[in-house]
């Protein structure tokens, strides 16, 4: 994002922002995400559509993070890309890790409730103990970052999201990055895709 000017769209960040502002939608979403469940697909697609249209008007590149997570969301996204003549410019990226590593990373995750920057007690520590490097807000653990919810999300990933990656291969280039390496090595692998 910083080096190449990409815009970052993450449904989770959008939700957390609405929760923090305590909007009507934010209050509704808060109950859902604290249980580790997923927000209604129509709501997510609507929010993503608005964000994408705004970025396209600015003539910017974008990274969609954590979306789509259901077949109906993929179909919405594919239709959106076709309508905006983007299908040849899109690449799907799968960050691949062993399930045990994923659970460990989730349990070690800390987030800034103000700017949403994500840290990890094991692999991506804050420079300032338990404070955000950007805004010095105290870091917190998300309520949904429990072992039980992590396992539930992995089951969902394997049964619903993984098949979407195979579906995406029918229309788009799909690249895989194995993430069981140092953060610096991971950044190198990821950055090569932007060039």
């Amino acid at each position: 994002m910083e080096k190449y000017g990409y815009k970052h769209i993450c449904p989770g960040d959008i939700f957390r922002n609405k929760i923090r502002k305590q909007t009507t939608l934010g209050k509704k979403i808060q109950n859902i995400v604290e249980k580790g469940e997923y927000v209604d697909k129509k709501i997510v697609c609507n929010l993503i559509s608005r964000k994408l249209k705004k970025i396209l008007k600015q003539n910017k590149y974008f990274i969609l993070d954590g979306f789509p997570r259901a077949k109906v969301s993929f179909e919405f996204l594919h239709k959106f890309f076709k309508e905006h003549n983007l299908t040849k410019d899109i690449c799907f990226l799968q960050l691949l890790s062993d399930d045990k590593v994923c659970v460990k990373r989730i349990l070690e995750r800390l987030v800034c409730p103000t700017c949403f920057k994500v840290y990890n007690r094991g692999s991506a520590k804050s420079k300032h103990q338990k404070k955000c490097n950007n805004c010095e807000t105290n870091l917190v653990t998300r309520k949904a970052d429990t072992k039980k919810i992590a396992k539930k999300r992995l089951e969902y990933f394997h049964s619903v999201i993984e098949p979407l990656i195979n579906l995406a291969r029918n229309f788009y280039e799909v690249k895989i990055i194995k993430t069981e390496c140092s953060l610096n090595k991971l950044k190198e692998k990821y950055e090569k895709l932007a060039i």
Side-chain angles (χ1 to χ4, degrees):
M1 284 169 46
E2 289 147 10
K3 191 166 183 177
Y4 296 100
Y6 280 77
K7 294 289 184 179
H8 181 237
I9 306 170
C10 175
D13 288 349
I14 295 169
F15 300 155
R16 283 183 282 278
N17 194 34
K18 294 201 174 291
I19 290 167
R20 187 169 48 94
K21 290 179 178 176
Q22 284 295 286
T23 64
T24 305
L25 181 59
K27 289 174 185 174
K28 184 178 176 183
I29 290 169
Q30 186 168 10
N31 293 329
I32 297 166
V33 296
E34 285 181 356
K35 295 175 191 170
E37 295 173 359
Y38 292 99
V39 177
D40 181 88
K41 295 162 192 71
K42 287 180 185 174
I43 293 171
V44 181
C45 289
N46 189 5
L47 291 169
I48 294 296
S49 177
R50 280 193 252 156
K51 286 278 185 187
L52 283 172
K53 285 176 183 174
K54 189 176 177 182
I55 289 167
L56 291 176
K57 280 182 184 173
Q58 297 169 355
N59 206 25
K60 296 279 187 180
Y61 295 111
F62 58 86
I63 297 169
L64 258 175
D65 179 356
F67 184 86
R69 291 189 178 188
K71 190 174 180 189
V72 68
S73 304
F74 177 84
E75 287 165 352
F76 149 79
L77 198 58
H78 182 54
K79 183 181 175 194
F80 183 95
F81 291 155
K82 283 200 298 189
E83 287 171 356
H84 292 83
N85 298 315
L86 295 171
T87 50
K88 292 179 182 174
D89 301 319
I90 299 298
C91 168
F92 276 71
L93 176 63
Q94 181 181 11
L95 301 175
L96 196 61
S97 240
D98 179 78
D99 284 2
K100 288 179 184 174
V101 173
C102 291
V103 171
K104 183 176 187 289
R105 287 177 179 165
I106 288 168
L107 296 178
E108 291 178 345
R109 181 164 51 192
L110 293 169
V111 295
C112 175
T114 304
C115 70
F116 308 125
K117 183 164 174 58
V118 179
Y119 298 89
N120 188 286
R121 288 188 287 268
S123 59
K125 297 176 184 177
S126 164
K127 294 173 189 171
H128 309 292
Q129 297 277 343
K130 291 188 176 182
K131 290 189 181 287
C132 178
N133 294 343
N134 292 340
C135 60
E136 297 190 5
T137 303
N138 288 332
L139 301 176
V140 298
T141 301
R142 292 179 187 157
K143 287 186 181 180
D145 284 350
T146 66
K147 198 169 194 175
K148 182 180 176 183
I149 291 175
K151 288 184 175 180
K152 183 177 166 184
R153 288 193 161 202
L154 278 168
E155 286 169 14
Y156 183 84
F157 172 81
H158 291 303
S159 64
V160 178
I161 299 174
E162 231 168 13
L164 293 180
I165 295 163
N166 294 326
L167 178 60
R169 283 189 174 91
N170 295 321
F171 308 100
Y172 306 99
E173 182 178 9
V174 176
K175 295 186 179 186
I176 296 173
I177 292 182
K178 293 185 180 178
T179 66
E180 292 174 21
C181 56
S182 72
L183 193 55
N184 286 338
K185 188 70 180 169
L186 183 58
K187 283 179 183 176
E188 278 177 35
K189 290 180 181 183
Y190 194 69
E191 198 170 299
K192 283 179 186 174
L193 299 176
I195 299 169

